[in-house]
Amino acid sequence: MVRHVDDDIVRQLAAIVGPDNVLVGAERLEPYTHDETVGLRADPEVAVRVTSAQQVAEIFRLANRERLPVTPRGAGYGLSGGAVAVQAASSCRWKR
């Protein structure tokens, strides 16, 4: 069974990457709902911007422990839907 993102998970993510890099809410998540694939859209529960491999490792440990799916994401310019979190609770993107 997949767990959903709750306030506790958001706090744990913020402890890893800082609160400004944990995005929740429809307006902040809108850029993460799609890539350039026409007609494909899904709403992630949270997006996390990371700046290091260490942060990625900590996020994946948290996701594994809490049974949260993660969709890795680059810039979101793909045409395959691979960056869209169709069944994922969260999206993880390198911060520029």
Side-chain angles (χ1 to χ4, degrees), residues 49-90:
R49 296 183 298 210
V50 297
T51 57
S52 72
Q54 176 68 30
Q55 289 176 341
V56 172
E58 290 181 42
I59 289 167
F60 273 84
R61 276 194 288 275
L62 170 64
N64 186 51
R65 184 175 65 244
E66 299 295 337
R67 302 187 50 86
L68 292 168
V70 175
T71 301
R73 181 181 177 95
Y77 296 127
L79 295 171
S80 67
V84 179
V86 175
Q87 286 190 317
S90 60

Side-chain angles (χ1 to χ4, degrees), residues 20-68:
D20 292 339
N21 292 315
V22 179
L23 310 175
V24 294
E27 187 176 314
R28 293 189 79 196
L29 289 171
E30 197 286 326
Y32 302 92
T33 63
H34 56 83
D35 63 6
E36 297 302 315
T37 306
V38 175
L40 181 61
R41 177 186 162 87
D43 296 317
E45 294 177 315
V46 64
V48 181
R49 296 183 298 210
V50 297
T51 57
S52 72
Q54 176 68 30
Q55 289 176 341
V56 172
E58 290 181 42
I59 289 167
F60 273 84
R61 276 194 288 275
L62 170 64
N64 186 51
R65 184 175 65 244
E66 299 295 337
R67 302 187 50 86
L68 292 168

